[in-house]
Amino acid sequence: MSVYVVGHKSPDTDSVTSAIAYAELKKAMGVDAVAVMQGELNPEATMVLEKFGFAAPEIMTDGAGKKLILVDHSDIAQAPDNLDKAEIIEIVDHHKIGDITTSNPIFFCAQPVGCTGTVLKQLFDINDVAIPKNIAGIMLAAILSDTVLFKSPTTTDADKKACDALAKIAGVDDMEALAMEMFKAKSAVEGVPMRDLIFRDYKDFDMNGNKVGCGQLELVDISLVADMRDDLYKELQKVKSEGRHTVLLMLTDIMKEGTDLMVVSDDPSYVEKAYNVKVDGPTVWVDGMMSRKKQTVPPLQKAFGG
Ligand code: MG
Ligand code: MG
Ligand code: MG
């Protein structure tokens, strides 16, 4: 029976490349592993897979009756549907431990590093499996993406070390050039429906019984969305009305290293408390905010009281 390796919903580069890379490692260890993803490739992941010569993994959204390895998440809301009818056999992640539980002991490997790719680099090494050149390329790309070329506060020395080693294996001499190529690809917003932009890199969370969503657009320049703000806000209000207490859209300027935070909420005081800001328009600038995982979600979770 095949084992499906899958990243989170609204797959990002790390979720897709980690599924491919970990499936490769498991295959080398004799497991019939298949990389899948829960939605269409985003523009950055498309560019990365093309560059290193990979086809897009199959889309799989229903976990019922399947053996699963989860990468880059451990939250039920981000996992395949019908998770209670699936068997989770492993989790490899770099986020806070989520709300998934299992009935059997499993291999669970999570580290507080910038990217699942960094954890996987170590798993290849521990298992003494050589990383194929093109696999090293996509793992490198994932780390550069998740750490925003080491600018994100989630970045650790382990990430930089992994990148140096992976770049050598992949034959990439200019990491920064690769990162810029990716950032340009992910900044493509022209002509994309507002809803697709909001859900391009999006996660739902349970905050003390409230459904709270947070999307992020990482842009080389936030003026790229200047003309779209009103339409984005209108669409965000729709997303909020679909059973959520609060929805945030992080318009992150990679170069200015901060986020214009778009807020739609039943009670914006949670957001104000979390980031020590005043929400008196559709967006509020939060200087230095780059990471949803480290800077956006934890303070808000705390403001909601769990
Ligand atoms: Mg991810
Ligand atoms: Mg990740
Ligand atoms: Mg990200």
Side-chain angles (χ1 to χ4, degrees):
M1 186 180 172
S2 294
V3 170
Y4 295 91
V5 188
V6 65
H8 54 73
K9 288 189 159 79
S10 298
D12 57 9
T13 299
D14 187 26
S15 264
V16 176
T17 59
S18 288
I20 295 172
Y22 199 41
E24 187 76 18
L25 174 57
K26 297 306 288 185
K27 277 188 266 183
M29 296 165 72
V31 177
D32 174 21
V34 182
V36 291
M37 57 184 183
Q38 293 194 66
E40 299 290 342
L41 289 176
N42 67 27
E44 183 191 71
T46 303
M47 184 237 112
V48 167
L49 292 195
E50 263 169 29
K51 186 173 182 82
F52 293 100
F54 288 92
E58 295 276 306
I59 292 183
M60 189 213 75
T61 56
D62 191 341
K66 299 191 176 90
K67 275 189 202 287
L68 303 180
I69 294 177
L70 306 183
V71 291
D72 201 32
H73 70 295
S74 67
D75 278 289
I76 295 167
Q78 295 161 25
D81 301 334
N82 293 312
L83 204 64
D84 52 334
K85 298 186 191 76
E87 186 189 354
I88 297 166
I89 59 168
E90 292 189 29
I91 298 176
V92 179
D93 193 17
H94 69 117
H95 295 85
K96 72 178 171 66
I97 297 177
D99 51 3
I100 285 174
T101 56
T102 61
S103 42
N104 291 307
I106 66 161
F107 178 81
F108 185 103
C109 182
Q111 289 184 35
V113 293
C115 181
T116 308
T118 302
V119 183
L120 290 180
K121 166 72 173 72
Q122 296 174 22
L123 292 181
F124 270 96
D125 293 348
I126 289 166
N127 289 288
D128 211 16
V129 174
I131 304 176
K133 187 176 178 185
N134 56 350
I135 293 281
I138 56 174
M139 289 167 71
L140 170 66
I143 303 172
L144 295 174
S145 170
D146 265 12
T147 65
V148 197
L149 186 59
F150 313 132
K151 285 190 211 179
S152 168
T154 56
T155 309
T156 66
D157 286 342
D159 299 303
K160 293 181 187 163
K161 211 177 126 198
C163 280
D164 285 338
L166 291 167
K168 277 203 191 91
I169 300 167
V172 172
D173 351 285
D174 192 344
M175 266 188 237
E176 205 170 317
L178 172 60
M180 282 318 294
E181 199 182 339
M182 290 161 53
F183 296 161
K184 279 194 190 122
K186 86 159 98 195
S187 297
V189 289
E190 216 37 63
V192 182
M194 297 301 127
R195 198 171 178 88
D196 293 2
L197 288 178
I198 292 168
F199 283 101
R200 183 183 274 177
D201 180 2
Y202 176 93
K203 288 175 183 175
D204 275 315
F205 299 89
D206 181 295
M207 299 199 182
N208 207 10
N210 302 288
K211 190 170 178 181
V212 175
C214 183
Q216 183 174 28
L217 286 174
E218 290 165 310
L219 304 162
V220 284
D221 183 349
I222 47 168
S223 70
L224 286 164
V225 293
D227 298 341
M228 304 177 185
R229 283 168 175 275
D230 292 348
D231 292 334
L232 276 173
Y233 190 69
K234 271 185 213 137
E235 192 62 39
L236 203 64
Q237 286 174 313
K238 267 189 219 155
V239 174
K240 148 83 184 68
S241 72
E242 293 157 12
R244 295 175 177 89
H245 178 286
T246 298
V247 186
L248 305 177
L249 180 62
M250 299 169 66
L251 302 171
T252 300
D253 193 310
I254 298 172
M255 297 302 155
K256 293 197 188 86
E257 301 191 24
T259 289
D260 217 15
L261 192 65
M262 194 171 272
V263 182
V264 183
S265 177
D266 283 340
D267 183 357
S269 75
Y270 291 105
V271 173
E272 297 187 332
K273 196 168 129 197
Y275 313 120
N276 198 17
V277 292
K278 195 95 209 112
V279 180
D280 50 14
T283 61
V284 54
W285 175 257
V286 187
D287 208 41
M289 183 187 271
M290 305 270 292
S291 165
R292 170 173 50 205
K293 176 171 75 149
K294 200 156 185 165
Q295 295 166 298
T296 313
V297 172
L300 193 58
Q301 196 113 37
K302 200 171 156 213
F304 271 94

